[in-house]
Amino acid sequence: MKKPILIFAILSILAIIACSNVQTDASAKTVEKDIVENTKPAKSLSEEFKKYWYAGQAEISSYQLEQARYGEMRKGTAVLIYVTEDFLPKEQVKADTNSPNNIPVLKLNATKNFNTGIYPYSIMQSTFYPVADNQHAIKVSNSIQEWCGHVYAQLNNRTQFEVTSHSYFEKEADQNLLLDKAILENELWAKIRINPKDLPLGNIQVIPSFEFCRLRHQQIKAYTAKASLQKEDATSTYTIEYPELDRSISITFTNSFPYTIEHWEETSLSGFGPNAKKMTTKATKIKSIKSAYWGKNSNTDESLREELGLN
């Protein structure tokens, strides 16, 4: 009787080991999915950078906007809000607590508000770019609201770029995409603020801004582009040209730290069908302030909007 018992015990142990190995493999695959690339060494942050970006305040810049839409120019405002925060690499959201596993990012919330005839447009893009400047943005999201409906798209940087998009247009509807990693136009606005000397130049593959892709109903994917940098005495202008899209965007920023964005221009077709024509959207800076704006939510704080020229 002892021999069958011994054999049964050995088989049980082997089964447990086998199950353990299966769980380990599955766990490894889960972790693999949540890893973002980190192939370059992290760039060290200067004391100047730390003093400016880790003072417990955001940088808020307002812009006078001339937006091309439906073949006409519309007046409005744009705002760029830059702030540093800790980001969770797995969940890909803002961290509530300190942890050595958090990824410090420079977050950009970029907003636009303008009217088209009777109804208003509200656009917001959020980009979470590592201050280490050694990998792609960890997350990008975009939402557009107007009286016809609203659309939303989000990219998460994991093993590949995972894109989820929702739209009220039939041809776009609900989509889930997997994209090979490429330069994100959205992330370049953060890269300018961290290290403009390392901006990509020449013939490159770029995923255009999510705002552009949704407004022009273009496929979210990488397109061939040409990037150039023109330096003047006080400012530099970074330009990306997309031949296939018949579009270009130029961002002008100061040559010295903190490399503030002074204005930008975007030229592309506006309108649809035979009435479409090439037009240029322009944004010119009104004012920049530093503020812990998340605590400025009382009626008396509306004076800050006046200071920014937003009322």
Side-chain angles (χ1 to χ4, degrees):
M1 295 296 294
K2 290 184 179 180
K3 186 175 291 186
I5 294 173
L6 179 61
I7 293 172
F8 177 78
I10 293 171
L11 290 174
S12 299
I13 293 170
L14 290 174
I16 292 171
I17 292 172
C19 291
S20 176
N21 287 338
V22 170
Q23 291 173 352
T24 301
D25 291 343
S27 176
K29 288 179 181 178
T30 302
V31 172
E32 171 77 15
K33 187 177 185 296
D34 295 317
I35 292 174
V36 295
E37 87 285 352
N38 188 9
T39 58
K40 299 178 182 178
K43 293 174 183 174
S44 59
L45 303 178
S46 67
E47 291 303 316
E48 187 177 36
F49 183 95
K50 295 175 185 177
K51 184 177 180 180
Y52 187 84
W53 288 113
Y54 290 103
Q57 296 179 316
E59 179 198 85
I60 307 170
S61 298
S62 56
Y63 298 82
Q64 192 65 47
L65 178 66
E66 299 173 62
Q67 177 73 40
R69 187 64 176 153
Y70 301 125
E72 295 184 278
M73 297 306 301
R74 322 292 179 153
K75 291 185 178 180
T77 56
V79 182
L80 301 182
I81 306 105
Y82 286 94
V83 63
T84 52
E85 63 185 31
D86 280 350
F87 211 63
L88 295 174
K90 181 179 179 181
E91 294 82 357
Q92 301 201 350
V93 294
K94 180 181 177 181
D96 290 334
T97 58
N98 292 327
S99 168
N101 295 323
N102 293 346
I103 298 178
V105 299
L106 180 62
K107 178 176 72 174
L108 168 60
N109 285 337
T111 69
K112 284 182 176 180
N113 294 91
F114 57 92
N115 294 333
T116 53
I118 190 175
Y119 61 94
Y121 262 80
S122 178
I123 301 173
M124 182 170 177
Q125 299 185 96
S126 294
T127 304
F128 304 83
Y129 187 73
V131 298
D133 192 29
N134 63 342
Q135 62 189 51
H136 291 297
I138 304 173
K139 183 178 179 179
V140 175
S141 62
N142 170 66
S143 61
I144 302 175
Q145 301 86 38
E146 37 95 3
W147 283 5
C148 295
H150 61 106
V151 298
Y152 179 82
Q154 177 174 301
L155 177 149
N156 292 91
N157 182 354
R158 294 195 169 98
T159 305
Q160 290 178 280
F161 284 162
E162 300 177 4
V163 179
T164 301
S165 179
H166 303 284
S167 172
Y168 65 91
F169 288 100
E170 179 184 355
K171 291 184 179 180
E172 295 169 353
D174 297 329
Q175 300 180 48
N176 291 288
L177 309 171
L178 288 177
L179 302 178
D180 291 335
K181 296 186 182 182
I183 296 166
L184 294 157
E185 183 182 311
N186 288 86
E187 71 189 5
L188 295 173
W189 293 75
K191 189 175 180 66
I192 286 173
R193 305 305 309 275
I194 298 172
N195 184 24
K197 295 179 181 178
D198 197 29
L199 287 165
L201 300 174
N203 295 320
I204 53 178
Q205 294 290 308
V206 186
I207 298 174
S209 74
F210 278 30
E211 173 194 321
F212 168 78
C213 291
R214 294 302 78 180
L215 289 179
R216 291 298 305 170
H217 305 291
Q218 296 292 329
Q219 184 178 353
I220 299 175
K221 67 173 189 176
Y223 294 83
T224 299
K226 181 180 180 180
S228 59
L229 185 64
Q230 182 178 354
K231 188 173 183 179
E232 298 180 356
D233 291 339
T235 61
S236 292
T237 299
Y238 184 62
T239 300
I240 308 172
E241 300 171 272
Y242 299 87
E244 182 181 348
L245 299 172
D246 198 14
R247 171 182 180 253
S248 66
I249 182 166
S250 297
I251 308 166
T252 299
F253 56 92
T254 56
N255 288 333
S256 57
F257 184 85
Y259 312 116
T260 55
I261 293 175
E262 299 299 301
H263 60 86
W264 70 87
E265 295 185 0
E266 178 183 354
T267 300
S268 65
L269 287 177
S270 181
F272 299 92
N275 296 323
K277 54 186 175 182
K278 188 173 282 190
M279 302 184 73
T280 300
T281 292
K282 299 179 180 179
T284 305
K285 189 161 78 170
I286 303 170
K287 176 82 173 182
S288 284
I289 65 172
K290 294 288 292 295
S291 173
Y293 68 88
W294 46 89
K296 308 291 185 181
N297 49 25
S298 69
N299 288 333
T300 58
D301 293 320
E302 289 186 8
S303 60
L304 293 172
R305 292 188 62 82
E306 296 178 5
E307 185 178 349
L308 287 164
L310 296 175
N311 284 348

